[in-house]
Amino acid sequence: ISHYWYKKFRTPTYQISSMICAALSAIVFWSELTLSVHWKFLSPIGLALQFTQSIGSTIVQTLTALLPLLYMSTCVYGSMFQVSFFGRYQLRGHHQSSAVALLFNAQYLVRLQFPLGYNYLYLLKLEQHTIAFSQLMKHMETVPVLGTSFGVYAPLIICALCGFTLCHGYARVWQFCGLDHEDAIFLNCEDADT
């Protein structure tokens, strides 16, 4: 059965999953860009949720709300587990992680959970006074700078960093400074090919 997987199914499966991930990344990116605008029709995630509300099917509405959140959670937590902490905080394979490492990573996972949920509720563009989570988090607004509009405009900084990374800005800065780095070497190889 592994022979059929490698010969016939692996490449199309990877291509389809990469297209789905690219589409979901574009949807999340667009929703993050329009986070500061209060028009409901600019967020594709909010539009899809409003459309499924008009259909009336609870299962379809739940799946529509779950799919982008599941994708965002997979990206956040997957990249968290890719980070290599050093020493006793490092996660090791084959059940070799210590209790301290498991506790540290679980604590870090919980710290990322609430900002992700808060950001996702803003992406949906729902009425904020009707959501219990927003009522819980509204006490953040007492902090002068970080509590008022930082949660809305911080994703724009992340979007700018995404664009900077997409355009190989880091490698171009290294190359402009005259420093050698593996990203700058990759940029030189691309320029040589064109």
Side-chain angles (χ1 to χ4, degrees), residues 48-107:
L49 196 61
Q50 286 178 355
F51 178 72
T52 56
Q53 281 178 347
S54 66
I55 292 174
S57 174
T58 309
I59 295 172
V60 174
Q61 184 178 356
T62 303
L63 289 176
T64 305
L66 181 67
L67 185 67
L69 180 61
L70 185 65
Y71 177 72
M72 290 169 63
S73 299
T74 303
C75 291
V76 168
Y77 300 137
S79 62
M80 186 193 87
F81 289 123
Q82 299 268 334
V83 172
S84 296
F85 293 109
F86 56 90
R88 49 186 212 184
Y89 300 122
Q90 183 179 12
L91 288 177
R92 296 175 176 89
H94 305 293
H95 307 285
Q96 299 296 319
S97 297
S98 66
V100 173
L102 291 173
L103 189 61
F104 174 77
N105 284 289
Q107 181 183 12

Side-chain angles (χ1 to χ4, degrees), residues 11 14 18 48 60 89 100-101 106 119 127 132 138 145 174 179 182:
T11 303
Y14 287 167
S18 68
V60 174
Y89 300 122
V100 173
N119 186 19
E127 307 298 330
K138 80 175 183 179
V145 176
W174 278 97
L179 300 171
E182 60 188 35

Side-chain angles (χ1 to χ4, degrees), residues 9-155:
F9 297 120
R10 186 174 76 160
T11 303
T13 303
Y14 287 167
Q15 288 174 348
I16 290 170
S17 62
S18 68
M19 286 188 266
I20 290 171
C21 288
L24 284 171
S25 294
I27 287 171
V28 169
F29 187 72
W30 179 258
S31 296
E32 293 283 349
L33 280 177
T34 61
L35 196 62
S36 61
V37 181
H38 297 291
W39 295 328
K40 290 183 180 181
F41 62 88
L42 284 179
S43 172
I45 299 172
L47 273 174
L49 196 61
Q50 286 178 355
F51 178 72
T52 56
Q53 281 178 347
S54 66
I55 292 174
S57 174
T58 309
I59 295 172
V60 174
Q61 184 178 356
T62 303
L63 289 176
T64 305
L66 181 67
L67 185 67
L69 180 61
L70 185 65
Y71 177 72
M72 290 169 63
S73 299
T74 303
C75 291
V76 168
Y77 300 137
S79 62
M80 186 193 87
F81 289 123
Q82 299 268 334
V83 172
S84 296
F85 293 109
F86 56 90
R88 49 186 212 184
Y89 300 122
Q90 183 179 12
L91 288 177
R92 296 175 176 89
H94 305 293
H95 307 285
Q96 299 296 319
S97 297
S98 66
V100 173
L102 291 173
L103 189 61
F104 174 77
N105 284 289
Q107 181 183 12
Y108 197 65
L109 186 100
V110 169
R111 285 181 183 171
L112 292 175
Q113 175 183 349
F114 287 105
L116 180 66
Y118 191 65
N119 186 19
Y120 183 69
L121 287 175
Y122 267 112
L123 289 180
L124 292 179
K125 305 258 188 218
L126 297 174
E127 307 298 330
Q128 295 298 322
H129 63 279
T130 62
I131 302 169
F133 189 74
S134 295
Q135 295 298 319
L136 174 72
M137 298 297 280
K138 80 175 183 179
H139 299 294
M140 264 186 5
E141 295 176 357
T142 58
V143 179
V145 176
L146 298 178
T148 54
S149 60
F150 183 76
V152 174
Y153 294 108

